[in-house]
Every structure is written in structure tokens, then in C-alpha cells.
């Protein structure tokens, strides 16, 4: 039996950190450079870097990864309004939480060096290097639930990407969709509850799911 009644599993970009727009610029530019489909930047949201790089010539992948890490080193990773308030509420209530992201360890080290306050509020971390399958596969969220010792059906997943929302749904968790990246009507088709932002999110709000 799990030690905790509920747990919270957060996607990172587009949920906790306002960075999806920056990634859209980067991958949109790379997609255009290599003649990929115009929707490439949107299509890959929630996908690990390893799988993203498969879309590019093998000889160029190391260069593209270097360009990505250089780009990320200059990002500021602003946290959305309401995020830190909710994380403090979780800590105070003894509710465990994890970040489940497709980002690699290099990006997470960069982010936490700039936002140590965010790392201090999270109990566990699942990165793209810790899973075999990208979202929409539920592996990442199942792993996150294990790390915080909460049954997946007692977890709430916070997601913005369609792939991530499907991953949360497939895992068996309750899914809270944040309409920051995709239109609200698309998010609500997959989520149990849809919110426009993290601002004002509390345990009382999500308990209605």
C-alpha cells in the first residue's frame, strides 16, 4: 500500500515553466532548415531529444544537439504564475510531487542552476534519459508514481501537450489539462479537468476531479 493518499505529477515545459514558445522557435527553425513539415515543432512536443533527432540526418545530430544545449543555456525558464504557491501548498500538506519531462539531463541541470527554488520543491524527477518510450506512452508517468510511492490511479497529472495528456490518460492517472500550448477545446477532449493556467490552482480545485 502506498504511504501517501495522492501524488502530483507535473510535466515541465508549458506547465511549470513558460518555455514552449522558445522551443517552438528553435525546432521550427531547425525544421525549416532541413525541409521538414511546417507543423514539426508542434508535432514533437512531449518527445525525447533522442526521438526528435531521428528526424534529422545522422551526420548532423550531434551538431543539432549542441545547438539545442547552447540555446537552452541562454533561456531564463520563467515559472508560471501560481506554480510556486501550489508547490508550497503541496509541501505544507505533505503531498509528494514529481516532474516528468522529456528533457535531457543537460537541460535539467541548466534549468535547476537558474531555478534552484523549483528543484527544492519537487520530490522526484523523471527525465527523457530515464525512460525507453516517449509520451504519449505512459512509461514516464508510471515511473514518476513509483518514485513518489503513490499508486498511479491516485495521482494527478498536469499536462499541456496532446502527447503528454494522452500519456497521463493511458497511465491511469487523473489528468489536469493546462491550455497554455493547445486550444482549450483540444485539451478538454483528453483531460478530466481543463484550466487556462496554473494561477489559482489548489488542492481544493483539483479535488473536484
Amino acid at each position: 500500500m502506498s504511504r501517501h493518499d495522492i501524488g502530483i505529477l507535473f510535466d515541465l515545459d508549458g506547465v511549470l515553466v513558460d518555455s514552449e514558445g522558445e522551443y517552438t522557435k528553435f525546432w521550427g527553425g531547425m525544421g525549416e532548415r532541413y525541409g521538414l513539415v511546417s507543423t514539426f515543432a508542434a508535432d514533437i512536443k512531449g518527445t525525447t531529444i533522442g526521438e526528435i533527432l531521428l528526424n534529422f540526418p545522422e551526420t548532423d545530430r550531434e551538431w543539432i544537439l549542441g545547438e539545442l544545449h547552447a540555446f537552452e543555456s541562454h533561456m531564463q525558464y520563467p515559472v508560471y504564475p501560481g506554480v510556486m504557491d501550489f508547490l508550497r501548498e503541496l509541501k505544507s500538506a505533505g503531498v509528494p510531487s514529481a516532474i516528468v519531462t522529456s528533457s535531457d539531463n543537460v537541460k535539467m541541470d541548466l534549468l535547476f542552476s537558474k531555478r534552484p527554488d523549483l528543484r527544492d520543491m519537487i520530490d522526484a524527477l523523471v527525465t527523457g534519459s530515464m525512460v525507453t518510450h516517449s509520451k504519449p506512452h505512459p512509461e514516464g508517468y508510471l515511473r514518476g508514481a513509483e518514485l513518489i510511492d503513490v499508486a498511479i490511479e491516485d495521482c494527478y497529472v498536469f499536462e499541456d501537450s496532446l502527447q503528454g495528456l494522452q500519456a497521463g490518460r493511458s497511465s491511469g492517472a487523473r489528468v489536469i489539462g493546462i491550455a497554455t500550448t493547445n486550444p482549450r477545446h483540444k485539451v478538454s477532449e483528453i483531460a478530466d479537468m481543463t484550466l487556462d493556467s496554473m494561477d489559482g490552482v489548489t488542492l481544493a480545485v483539483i479535488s473536484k476531479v
Side-chain angles (χ1 to χ4, degrees), residues 68-77 110 114:
L68 174 63
H69 289 154
F71 180 82
E72 290 172 332
S73 71
H74 295 291
M75 289 172 60
Q76 295 305 308
Y77 306 104
L110 287 168
K114 296 182 179 182

Coordinates of all heavy atoms in Angstrom, one line a residue, residues 68-77 110 114:
L68 N 21.1 23.0 -29.6 CA 20.0 23.0 -28.6 C 20.5 23.4 -27.2 O 19.9 24.2 -26.5 CB 19.3 21.6 -28.6 CG 18.2 21.5 -27.5 CD1 17.1 22.4 -27.7 CD2 17.7 20.0 -27.5
H69 N 21.6 22.7 -26.8 CA 22.1 23.0 -25.4 C 22.6 24.4 -25.3 O 22.4 25.1 -24.3 CB 23.2 22.0 -25.1 CG 22.6 20.6 -24.8 ND1 23.4 19.5 -25.0 CD2 21.4 20.2 -24.4 CE1 22.7 18.4 -24.7 NE2 21.5 18.8 -24.4
A70 N 23.2 25.0 -26.4 CA 23.6 26.4 -26.4 C 22.4 27.3 -26.3 O 22.4 28.3 -25.5 CB 24.4 26.7 -27.6
F71 N 21.4 26.9 -27.0 CA 20.1 27.7 -26.9 C 19.5 27.7 -25.5 O 19.1 28.7 -25.0 CB 19.1 27.1 -28.0 CG 17.8 27.8 -28.0 CD1 17.6 29.0 -28.8 CD2 16.7 27.3 -27.4 CE1 16.4 29.6 -28.9 CE2 15.5 27.9 -27.4 CZ 15.3 29.1 -28.2
E72 N 19.5 26.5 -24.9 CA 18.9 26.3 -23.6 C 19.7 27.1 -22.5 O 19.2 27.5 -21.5 CB 18.8 24.9 -23.3 CG 17.8 24.1 -24.1 CD 17.8 22.6 -23.9 OE1 18.9 22.1 -23.5 OE2 16.7 22.0 -24.0
S73 N 21.0 27.2 -22.8 CA 21.9 27.9 -21.8 C 21.6 29.3 -21.6 O 21.9 30.0 -20.6 CB 23.4 27.7 -22.1 OG 23.7 28.4 -23.3
H74 N 20.9 29.9 -22.7 CA 20.6 31.3 -22.6 C 19.1 31.6 -22.2 O 18.7 32.7 -22.1 CB 20.8 32.0 -24.0 CG 22.3 32.0 -24.3 ND1 23.2 32.8 -23.7 CD2 23.0 31.3 -25.3 CE1 24.4 32.6 -24.2 NE2 24.3 31.7 -25.2
M75 N 18.3 30.5 -22.1 CA 16.9 30.6 -21.7 C 16.8 31.0 -20.2 O 17.7 30.6 -19.4 CB 16.2 29.3 -22.0 CG 15.9 29.1 -23.5 SD 15.2 27.4 -23.8 CE 13.7 27.5 -22.9
Q76 N 15.8 31.7 -19.8 CA 15.6 32.1 -18.5 C 14.6 31.2 -17.6 O 14.6 31.3 -16.4 CB 15.1 33.6 -18.4 CG 16.1 34.5 -19.0 CD 17.4 34.5 -18.3 OE1 17.5 34.5 -17.1 NE2 18.5 34.3 -19.1
Y77 N 13.8 30.4 -18.3 CA 12.9 29.5 -17.6 C 12.0 30.2 -16.6 O 12.0 29.8 -15.4 CB 13.7 28.4 -17.0 CG 14.6 27.6 -17.9 CD1 16.0 27.9 -17.9 CD2 14.2 26.7 -18.8 CE1 16.9 27.2 -18.7 CE2 15.0 26.1 -19.7 CZ 16.4 26.3 -19.7 OH 17.2 25.7 -20.5
L110 N 20.8 22.8 -16.4 CA 20.8 24.2 -16.7 C 19.6 24.9 -16.0 O 19.7 26.0 -15.4 CB 20.7 24.4 -18.2 CG 21.9 24.1 -19.0 CD1 21.6 24.1 -20.5 CD2 23.0 25.2 -18.8
K114 N 19.5 27.8 -12.6 CA 18.8 29.1 -12.7 C 17.6 29.1 -11.8 O 17.2 30.2 -11.3 CB 18.4 29.4 -14.1 CG 19.6 29.6 -15.0 CD 19.2 30.0 -16.4 CE 20.4 30.1 -17.3 NZ 20.1 30.5 -18.7

